[in-house]
Amino acid sequence: MEQYVIKGKQPLKGEVEIGGAKNAALAILAAATMANESVLIENIPNVQDVNVLLEAIREIGAGADRLDDHSVRINGASITDYRVDHEYIKKIRASYYLLGALLGKYKKAEVALPGGCAIGARPIDLHIKGFRALGAEVVIEHGLIKASAEKLTGTHIYLDKVSVGATINIMMAAVMATGKTIIENAAKEPHVVDVANFLGSMGANIRGAGTDVIRIVGVEKLHASEYTVIPDQIEAGTFMFAAAATNGDVTVKNVIPKHLEATSAKLHDVGCTIHEYDDAVRVVANGKLKHTQITTLPYPGFPTDMQPQMTVLLGMADGTSTVTESIFENRFKYVDELNRMGSEIKVESNIAIISGVGGYTGAVVNAPDLRAGAALVIAGLAAEGVTVVDDIHYIERGYERFDEKLRGLGAVIEKVSSEKEIQKFRLKVS
Ligand code: EPZ
């Protein structure tokens, strides 16, 4: 089992290059199977979740070739199977995008109920509601979601809750339906827009992505395309928080600053200086962090995927802060781990009440999920002494070369896989 071992208190300095957005890439790869021609997608991050999805795409018969670390060619012409039920696919949430893609293209799909990070109950009722509204029959049997239709017909769908996954999935199912579909109360996240742009590049007719009403007029088929995935705003934000937590000065490059506005605004509130450039953002910390209040919200609000990183920062700030998690009810599981590093955080229902402690001390902690894992690494980078983060396979699901990129900024972090290696690291840094 691999771990990260970190010697903290090293201010991060320099430049870091951000990769393609994992959550956009996952949906785009699934959507690419909808064309019977070759689709080239660039800026795909080389992370575990993407590799698992590519494997599933190959299993149903589609071509999925990695041309290099970040370019993938998909060809959906050779698909022979509409069932995706391998054990490994249950581990990733985004497997459900194959449901929308296959249902949209073949009017038939069977996909294992998805897993993903355990951050709360993660129902898929809204996806199912959308597919049914388009005319599909959907049942859950033997752990599979089975959807089929004679024909999909455009319709008016109101989502009771803003859902990234449901918005994208319904959009995919609707692009080859007959007639016009309107999705109301749609998610506005940058990756929703990216998937819509990608589908558009294959010939789909989608208007309004990025607003809360998306209009789709069905087309008969989708065609070949070449597309580049947007930068990962969560990876970028994670490095911004790492800079702030270590009293650093970091420029995150290859980003869309507009997508980072909520993060930049909160970093500014706590006392950091933010410089925005065309495709880069620089975070300069000044050694003092101020308390603030945060509520996670759908885009353009403060992202739930940045909540643990923000909490780690506020744990070291002056005074009392609160963080309200309004998207996923179980996203504070890392707080017990952080408290082992000296934070004073109480969680009441969906609110974390944080009494700033000024600094952390290194400890052995477990990454409970992807973003919380990254947040614990940030805590380790800021802490006095050595921190060991266990279960880093969660982190590797969504961050490419995380430790390497951090080392490029001056962090003292290594990936190890035995107690002996940890001892060696401790000796080296003591
Ligand atoms: C996506 O999950 C991301 N995952 C998550 O990223 C991210 O945290 C989340 O969007 C919110 O931004 C992927 O893109 C693969 P939702 P998703 O549907 O689509 C409720 C990460 O760390 N809901 O927008 O599953 C749901 O319970 C991850 O990269 C229903 O009630 O999230 C939640 O409260 C973790 N019924 C809210 O909507 C449904 O049918 C928003 O969830 C669907 C969702």
Side-chain angles (χ1 to χ4, degrees), residues 52-57 84-96 98 111-116:
V52 170
L53 186 67
L54 284 175
E55 198 49 46
I57 289 174
V84 186
D85 70 345
H86 311 280
E87 204 43 48
Y88 61 83
I89 195 71
K90 295 181 194 151
K91 298 210 176 88
I92 67 162
R93 185 82 186 151
S95 54
Y96 59 37
L98 287 171
V111 177
L113 270 167

Side-chain angles (χ1 to χ4, degrees), residues 22-23 26 93-94 96-97 119 121-127 161-166 189 191 304-305 327-328 331 370-371:
K22 172 197 73 123
N23 289 340
L26 291 166
R93 185 82 186 151
Y96 59 37
Y97 287 136
I119 51 182
R122 299 184 71 181
I124 52 155
D125 55 311
L126 296 171
H127 303 234
K161 200 166 178 182
V162 178
S163 160
V164 173
E189 266 67 4
H191 39 300
T304 172
D305 290 344
I327 312 285
F328 293 110
R331 218 169 185 177
L370 165 59
R371 306 303 172 188

Side-chain angles (χ1 to χ4, degrees), residues 180-183 205-209 211 213-217:
K180 187 171 182 178
T181 299
I182 299 176
I183 308 173
N205 181 345
I206 304 175
R207 296 277 146 81
T211 75
V213 184
I214 299 180
R215 293 183 166 79
I216 303 150
V217 179

Side-chain angles (χ1 to χ4, degrees), residues 97-117:
Y97 287 136
L98 287 171
L99 201 60
L102 292 172
L103 178 67
K105 185 178 180 191
Y106 298 106
K107 317 292 175 253
K108 186 169 169 56
E110 298 186 358
V111 177
L113 270 167
C117 279

Side-chain angles (χ1 to χ4, degrees), residues 264-272 289-294 310:
S264 298
K266 281 300 168 187
L267 282 170
H268 180 260
D269 281 359
V270 299
C272 296
L289 292 166
K290 293 184 275 190
H291 61 94
T292 190
Q293 326 299 330
I294 303 267
M310 183 77 205

Side-chain angles (χ1 to χ4, degrees), residues 236-394:
T238 301
F239 281 100
M240 290 165 75
F241 280 110
T246 58
N247 198 16
D249 178 349
V250 171
T251 302
V252 292
K253 294 174 72 177
N254 182 33
V255 297
I256 299 174
K258 172 101 191 122
H259 294 169
L260 293 164
E261 271 175 358
T263 304
S264 298
K266 281 300 168 187
L267 282 170
H268 180 260
D269 281 359
V270 299
C272 296
T273 307
I274 312 292
H275 303 273
E276 276 188 15
Y277 308 98
D278 286 348
D279 61 356
V281 173
R282 178 176 169 204
V283 178
V284 186
N286 69 2
K288 266 235 157 279
L289 292 166
K290 293 184 275 190
H291 61 94
T292 190
Q293 326 299 330
I294 303 267
T295 300
T296 62
L297 286 169
Y299 188 84
F302 189 85
T304 172
D305 290 344
M306 215 71 90
Q307 178 265 101
Q309 300 89 318
M310 183 77 205
T311 304
V312 163
L313 196 64
L314 295 177
M316 296 189 294
D318 209 15
T320 303
S321 301
T322 60
V323 172
T324 305
E325 172 55 61
S326 77
I327 312 285
F328 293 110
E329 74 275 16
N330 202 8
R331 218 169 185 177
F332 283 124
K333 281 194 299 184
Y334 62 90
V335 163
D336 286 345
E337 301 300 299
L338 197 56
N339 284 348
R340 289 150 58 81
M341 297 179 72
S343 70
E344 287 181 17
I345 305 178
K346 268 198 304 199
V347 177
E348 284 173 13
S349 172
N350 66 332
I351 303 175
I353 301 146
I354 304 161
S355 308
V357 291
Y360 300 130
T361 50
V364 179
V365 291
N366 279 299
D369 62 65
L370 165 59
R371 306 303 172 188
L376 290 169
V377 170
I378 295 176
L381 294 169
E384 190 73 57
V386 172
T387 296
V388 179
V389 181
D390 270 334
D391 286 335
I392 62 168
H393 58 96
Y394 284 116

